[in-house]
Structures are given as C-alpha cells and as structure tokens.
PDB file of all heavy atoms in Angstrom:
ATOM      1  N   SER A 150       0.903  -1.149  -0.106  1.00 43.00           N
ATOM      2  CA  SER A 150       0.016   0.087   0.002  1.00 43.00           C
ATOM      3  C   SER A 150       0.950   1.241   0.039  1.00 43.00           C
ATOM      4  O   SER A 150       2.070   1.157   0.046  1.00 43.00           O
ATOM      5  CB  SER A 150      -0.934  -0.038   1.168  1.00 43.00           C
ATOM      6  OG  SER A 150      -0.157  -0.036   2.391  1.00 43.00           O
ATOM      7  N   GLY A 151       0.235   2.438   0.043  1.00 48.00           N
ATOM      8  CA  GLY A 151       1.037   3.618   0.116  1.00 48.00           C
ATOM      9  C   GLY A 151       1.163   4.135  -1.282  1.00 48.00           C
ATOM     10  O   GLY A 151       0.593   3.788  -2.324  1.00 48.00           O
ATOM     11  N   LYS A 152       2.075   5.078  -1.421  1.00 53.00           N
ATOM     12  CA  LYS A 152       2.482   5.758  -2.636  1.00 53.00           C
ATOM     13  C   LYS A 152       3.106   4.762  -3.666  1.00 53.00           C
ATOM     14  O   LYS A 152       3.966   4.049  -3.374  1.00 53.00           O
ATOM     15  CB  LYS A 152       3.327   6.910  -2.513  1.00 53.00           C
ATOM     16  CG  LYS A 152       2.636   8.080  -1.703  1.00 53.00           C
ATOM     17  CD  LYS A 152       3.653   9.301  -1.616  1.00 53.00           C
ATOM     18  CE  LYS A 152       3.078  10.421  -0.803  1.00 53.00           C
ATOM     19  NZ  LYS A 152       3.975  11.634  -0.744  1.00 53.00           N
ATOM     20  N   LYS A 153       2.604   4.847  -4.871  1.00 56.00           N
ATOM     21  CA  LYS A 153       3.133   3.910  -5.929  1.00 56.00           C
ATOM     22  C   LYS A 153       4.335   4.512  -6.506  1.00 56.00           C
ATOM     23  O   LYS A 153       4.422   5.699  -6.808  1.00 56.00           O
ATOM     24  CB  LYS A 153       2.131   3.469  -6.898  1.00 56.00           C
ATOM     25  CG  LYS A 153       0.886   2.691  -6.466  1.00 56.00           C
ATOM     26  CD  LYS A 153       0.009   2.254  -7.485  1.00 56.00           C
ATOM     27  CE  LYS A 153      -1.199   1.468  -7.026  1.00 56.00           C
ATOM     28  NZ  LYS A 153      -2.143   1.021  -8.095  1.00 56.00           N
ATOM     29  N   ARG A 154       5.333   3.716  -6.762  1.00 60.00           N
ATOM     30  CA  ARG A 154       6.547   4.105  -7.544  1.00 60.00           C
ATOM     31  C   ARG A 154       6.699   3.264  -8.769  1.00 60.00           C
ATOM     32  O   ARG A 154       6.304   2.050  -8.872  1.00 60.00           O
ATOM     33  CB  ARG A 154       7.740   3.870  -6.703  1.00 60.00           C
ATOM     34  CG  ARG A 154       7.891   4.893  -5.407  1.00 60.00           C
ATOM     35  CD  ARG A 154       9.214   4.755  -4.824  1.00 60.00           C
ATOM     36  NE  ARG A 154       9.435   5.649  -3.804  1.00 60.00           N
ATOM     37  CZ  ARG A 154      10.567   5.873  -3.103  1.00 60.00           C
ATOM     38  NH1 ARG A 154      11.661   5.140  -3.449  1.00 60.00           N
ATOM     39  NH2 ARG A 154      10.634   6.707  -2.064  1.00 60.00           N
ATOM     40  N   GLU A 155       7.163   3.907  -9.784  1.00 65.00           N
ATOM     41  CA  GLU A 155       7.497   3.262 -10.988  1.00 65.00           C
ATOM     42  C   GLU A 155       8.728   2.489 -10.873  1.00 65.00           C
ATOM     43  O   GLU A 155       9.901   3.048 -10.595  1.00 65.00           O
ATOM     44  CB  GLU A 155       7.668   4.212 -12.108  1.00 65.00           C
ATOM     45  CG  GLU A 155       6.370   4.839 -12.663  1.00 65.00           C
ATOM     46  CD  GLU A 155       5.374   3.836 -13.214  1.00 65.00           C
ATOM     47  OE1 GLU A 155       5.895   2.918 -13.833  1.00 65.00           O
ATOM     48  OE2 GLU A 155       4.177   3.994 -13.151  1.00 65.00           O
ATOM     49  N   ILE A 156       8.774   1.146 -10.839  1.00 70.00           N
ATOM     50  CA  ILE A 156       9.987   0.295 -10.661  1.00 70.00           C
ATOM     51  C   ILE A 156      10.035  -0.653 -11.888  1.00 70.00           C
ATOM     52  O   ILE A 156       9.053  -1.060 -12.448  1.00 70.00           O
ATOM     53  CB  ILE A 156       9.891  -0.482  -9.373  1.00 70.00           C
ATOM     54  CG1 ILE A 156       8.677  -1.387  -9.259  1.00 70.00           C
ATOM     55  CG2 ILE A 156      10.061   0.450  -8.141  1.00 70.00           C
ATOM     56  CD1 ILE A 156       8.643  -2.269  -8.057  1.00 70.00           C
ATOM     57  N   GLN A 157      11.236  -0.911 -12.106  1.00 67.00           N
ATOM     58  CA  GLN A 157      11.523  -1.903 -13.255  1.00 67.00           C
ATOM     59  C   GLN A 157      12.584  -2.760 -12.948  1.00 67.00           C
ATOM     60  O   GLN A 157      13.253  -2.669 -11.903  1.00 67.00           O
ATOM     61  CB  GLN A 157      11.857  -1.023 -14.514  1.00 67.00           C
ATOM     62  CG  GLN A 157      13.123  -0.154 -14.347  1.00 67.00           C
ATOM     63  CD  GLN A 157      13.397   0.686 -15.498  1.00 67.00           C
ATOM     64  OE1 GLN A 157      12.700   0.683 -16.444  1.00 67.00           O
ATOM     65  NE2 GLN A 157      14.506   1.358 -15.449  1.00 67.00           N
ATOM     66  N   TYR A 158      12.862  -3.804 -13.777  1.00 59.00           N
ATOM     67  CA  TYR A 158      13.845  -4.707 -13.527  1.00 59.00           C
ATOM     68  C   TYR A 158      15.336  -4.032 -13.427  1.00 59.00           C
ATOM     69  O   TYR A 158      15.622  -3.116 -14.244  1.00 59.00           O
ATOM     70  CB  TYR A 158      14.011  -5.863 -14.595  1.00 59.00           C
ATOM     71  CG  TYR A 158      12.827  -6.751 -14.519  1.00 59.00           C
ATOM     72  CD1 TYR A 158      11.853  -6.976 -15.513  1.00 59.00           C
ATOM     73  CD2 TYR A 158      12.784  -7.594 -13.365  1.00 59.00           C
ATOM     74  CE1 TYR A 158      10.877  -7.854 -15.442  1.00 59.00           C
ATOM     75  CE2 TYR A 158      11.735  -8.539 -13.271  1.00 59.00           C
ATOM     76  CZ  TYR A 158      10.795  -8.709 -14.303  1.00 59.00           C
ATOM     77  OH  TYR A 158       9.793  -9.538 -14.142  1.00 59.00           O
ATOM     78  N   ALA A 159      16.080  -4.295 -12.407  1.00 63.00           N
ATOM     79  CA  ALA A 159      17.320  -3.762 -12.157  1.00 63.00           C
ATOM     80  C   ALA A 159      18.223  -4.132 -13.257  1.00 63.00           C
ATOM     81  O   ALA A 159      18.144  -5.259 -13.793  1.00 63.00           O
ATOM     82  CB  ALA A 159      18.007  -4.223 -10.745  1.00 63.00           C
ATOM     83  N   GLN A 160      19.303  -3.221 -13.573  1.00 58.00           N
ATOM     84  CA  GLN A 160      20.169  -3.513 -14.713  1.00 58.00           C
ATOM     85  C   GLN A 160      21.315  -4.372 -14.146  1.00 58.00           C
ATOM     86  O   GLN A 160      21.980  -4.056 -13.347  1.00 58.00           O
ATOM     87  CB  GLN A 160      20.728  -2.170 -15.250  1.00 58.00           C
ATOM     88  CG  GLN A 160      19.640  -1.423 -16.111  1.00 58.00           C
ATOM     89  CD  GLN A 160      19.125  -2.008 -17.235  1.00 58.00           C
ATOM     90  OE1 GLN A 160      19.841  -2.655 -18.026  1.00 58.00           O
ATOM     91  NE2 GLN A 160      17.786  -2.102 -17.368  1.00 58.00           N
ATOM     92  N   MET A 161      21.479  -5.572 -14.778  1.00 57.00           N
ATOM     93  CA  MET A 161      22.611  -6.381 -14.543  1.00 57.00           C
ATOM     94  C   MET A 161      23.883  -5.956 -15.293  1.00 57.00           C
ATOM     95  O   MET A 161      23.750  -5.365 -16.399  1.00 57.00           O
ATOM     96  CB  MET A 161      22.389  -7.871 -14.821  1.00 57.00           C
ATOM     97  CG  MET A 161      21.112  -8.437 -14.078  1.00 57.00           C
ATOM     98  SD  MET A 161      21.431  -8.790 -12.345  1.00 57.00           S
ATOM     99  CE  MET A 161      22.415 -10.321 -12.592  1.00 57.00           C
ATOM    100  N   LEU A 162      25.097  -6.272 -14.721  1.00 56.00           N
ATOM    101  CA  LEU A 162      26.235  -5.871 -15.281  1.00 56.00           C
ATOM    102  C   LEU A 162      26.452  -6.570 -16.710  1.00 56.00           C
ATOM    103  O   LEU A 162      27.141  -5.947 -17.622  1.00 56.00           O
ATOM    104  CB  LEU A 162      27.486  -6.112 -14.484  1.00 56.00           C
ATOM    105  CG  LEU A 162      27.552  -5.249 -13.155  1.00 56.00           C
ATOM    106  CD1 LEU A 162      28.667  -5.658 -12.323  1.00 56.00           C
ATOM    107  CD2 LEU A 162      27.598  -3.797 -13.390  1.00 56.00           C
ATOM    108  N   ASN A 163      26.005  -7.788 -16.795  1.00 54.00           N
ATOM    109  CA  ASN A 163      26.053  -8.523 -18.065  1.00 54.00           C
ATOM    110  C   ASN A 163      24.923  -8.436 -18.952  1.00 54.00           C
ATOM    111  O   ASN A 163      24.768  -9.053 -20.014  1.00 54.00           O
ATOM    112  CB  ASN A 163      26.368 -10.025 -17.707  1.00 54.00           C
ATOM    113  CG  ASN A 163      25.130 -10.703 -16.976  1.00 54.00           C
ATOM    114  OD1 ASN A 163      24.225  -9.981 -16.715  1.00 54.00           O
ATOM    115  ND2 ASN A 163      25.332 -11.910 -16.566  1.00 54.00           N
ATOM    116  N   GLY A 164      23.961  -7.507 -18.647  1.00 53.00           N
ATOM    117  CA  GLY A 164      22.824  -7.257 -19.492  1.00 53.00           C
ATOM    118  C   GLY A 164      21.592  -8.166 -19.371  1.00 53.00           C
ATOM    119  O   GLY A 164      20.662  -8.035 -20.031  1.00 53.00           O
ATOM    120  N   SER A 165      21.775  -9.291 -18.460  1.00 55.00           N
ATOM    121  CA  SER A 165      20.635 -10.105 -18.353  1.00 55.00           C
ATOM    122  C   SER A 165      19.636  -9.679 -17.391  1.00 55.00           C
ATOM    123  O   SER A 165      19.794  -8.749 -16.697  1.00 55.00           O
ATOM    124  CB  SER A 165      21.208 -11.556 -17.905  1.00 55.00           C
ATOM    125  OG  SER A 165      21.779 -11.402 -16.632  1.00 55.00           O
ATOM    126  N   LEU A 166      18.392 -10.310 -17.435  1.00 51.00           N
ATOM    127  CA  LEU A 166      17.353  -9.900 -16.451  1.00 51.00           C
ATOM    128  C   LEU A 166      17.537 -10.496 -15.116  1.00 51.00           C
ATOM    129  O   LEU A 166      17.876 -11.806 -15.070  1.00 51.00           O
ATOM    130  CB  LEU A 166      15.984 -10.395 -17.032  1.00 51.00           C
ATOM    131  CG  LEU A 166      15.213  -9.605 -18.133  1.00 51.00           C
ATOM    132  CD1 LEU A 166      14.038 -10.218 -18.612  1.00 51.00           C
ATOM    133  CD2 LEU A 166      15.153  -8.229 -17.812  1.00 51.00           C
ATOM    134  N   PRO A 167      17.500  -9.770 -14.047  1.00 52.00           N
ATOM    135  CA  PRO A 167      17.606 -10.262 -12.731  1.00 52.00           C
ATOM    136  C   PRO A 167      16.415 -11.028 -12.184  1.00 52.00           C
ATOM    137  O   PRO A 167      15.870 -10.743 -11.133  1.00 52.00           O
ATOM    138  CB  PRO A 167      17.925  -9.082 -11.901  1.00 52.00           C
ATOM    139  CG  PRO A 167      17.174  -8.026 -12.515  1.00 52.00           C
ATOM    140  CD  PRO A 167      17.094  -8.371 -14.063  1.00 52.00           C
ATOM    141  N   VAL A 168      15.993 -12.041 -12.757  1.00 50.00           N
ATOM    142  CA  VAL A 168      14.869 -12.857 -12.413  1.00 50.00           C
ATOM    143  C   VAL A 168      15.452 -14.267 -12.101  1.00 50.00           C
ATOM    144  O   VAL A 168      16.060 -14.922 -12.935  1.00 50.00           O
ATOM    145  CB  VAL A 168      13.831 -13.008 -13.497  1.00 50.00           C
ATOM    146  CG1 VAL A 168      12.704 -13.929 -13.023  1.00 50.00           C
ATOM    147  CG2 VAL A 168      13.285 -11.608 -13.805  1.00 50.00           C
ATOM    148  N   PHE A 169      15.194 -14.769 -10.854  1.00 48.00           N
ATOM    149  CA  PHE A 169      15.985 -16.005 -10.457  1.00 48.00           C
ATOM    150  C   PHE A 169      15.002 -16.886  -9.861  1.00 48.00           C
ATOM    151  O   PHE A 169      14.434 -16.695  -8.830  1.00 48.00           O
ATOM    152  CB  PHE A 169      17.026 -15.583  -9.398  1.00 48.00           C
ATOM    153  CG  PHE A 169      18.073 -14.506  -9.857  1.00 48.00           C
ATOM    154  CD1 PHE A 169      17.900 -13.249  -9.320  1.00 48.00           C
ATOM    155  CD2 PHE A 169      18.853 -14.650 -10.883  1.00 48.00           C
ATOM    156  CE1 PHE A 169      18.712 -12.160  -9.785  1.00 48.00           C
ATOM    157  CE2 PHE A 169      19.742 -13.720 -11.346  1.00 48.00           C
ATOM    158  CZ  PHE A 169      19.607 -12.394 -10.747  1.00 48.00           C
ATOM    159  N   SER A 170      14.818 -18.066 -10.562  1.00 46.00           N
ATOM    160  CA  SER A 170      13.954 -19.114 -10.079  1.00 46.00           C
ATOM    161  C   SER A 170      14.752 -19.901  -8.964  1.00 46.00           C
ATOM    162  O   SER A 170      15.951 -20.128  -9.079  1.00 46.00           O
ATOM    163  CB  SER A 170      13.568 -20.201 -11.176  1.00 46.00           C
ATOM    164  OG  SER A 170      12.937 -21.213 -10.605  1.00 46.00           O
ATOM    165  N   GLN A 171      14.043 -20.323  -7.878  1.00 43.00           N
ATOM    166  CA  GLN A 171      14.762 -20.985  -6.842  1.00 43.00           C
ATOM    167  C   GLN A 171      14.554 -22.508  -7.006  1.00 43.00           C
ATOM    168  O   GLN A 171      14.674 -23.194  -5.967  1.00 43.00           O
ATOM    169  CB  GLN A 171      14.084 -20.491  -5.460  1.00 43.00           C
ATOM    170  CG  GLN A 171      14.548 -19.197  -5.028  1.00 43.00           C
ATOM    171  CD  GLN A 171      15.994 -19.102  -4.835  1.00 43.00           C
ATOM    172  OE1 GLN A 171      16.511 -19.469  -3.743  1.00 43.00           O
ATOM    173  NE2 GLN A 171      16.771 -18.568  -5.775  1.00 43.00           N
ATOM    174  N   PHE A 172      14.173 -23.008  -8.200  1.00 35.00           N
ATOM    175  CA  PHE A 172      14.094 -24.456  -8.427  1.00 35.00           C
ATOM    176  C   PHE A 172      15.287 -24.791  -9.324  1.00 35.00           C
ATOM    177  O   PHE A 172      15.571 -24.287 -10.274  1.00 35.00           O
ATOM    178  CB  PHE A 172      12.819 -24.911  -9.013  1.00 35.00           C
ATOM    179  CG  PHE A 172      11.627 -24.844  -8.142  1.00 35.00           C
ATOM    180  CD1 PHE A 172      10.647 -24.008  -8.257  1.00 35.00           C
ATOM    181  CD2 PHE A 172      11.600 -25.617  -7.091  1.00 35.00           C
ATOM    182  CE1 PHE A 172       9.501 -23.866  -7.547  1.00 35.00           C
ATOM    183  CE2 PHE A 172      10.504 -25.661  -6.228  1.00 35.00           C
ATOM    184  CZ  PHE A 172       9.459 -24.763  -6.374  1.00 35.00           C
ATOM    185  N   GLY A 173      16.016 -25.958  -8.908  1.00 39.00           N
ATOM    186  CA  GLY A 173      17.061 -26.412  -9.657  1.00 39.00           C
ATOM    187  C   GLY A 173      17.063 -27.882  -9.677  1.00 39.00           C
ATOM    188  O   GLY A 173      16.095 -28.547  -9.278  1.00 39.00           O
TER     189      GLY A 173
END
C-alpha cells in the first residue's frame, strides 16, 4: 500500500534480466 513508484527490473552488469527461479 502507500504511494506507488515506477519500478522496473534492475540492470545487471552482463545485461541479463535479474529474475531468479529457486528451483534447480
């Protein structure tokens, strides 16, 4: 709740998306 902020995926140094599945 509260004020909404525009957020997006953080920039990785290698250019990939910082989405990490916890299943391996």
Side-chain angles (χ1 to χ4, degrees):
S150 58
K152 295 181 179 180
K153 293 185 178 180
R154 290 189 179 186
E155 289 294 330
I156 57 178
Q157 59 184 4
Y158 286 116
Q160 294 297 314
M161 301 284 284
L162 294 179
N163 60 5
S165 61
L166 282 178
V168 181
F169 309 108
S170 171
Q171 287 294 281
F172 286 114

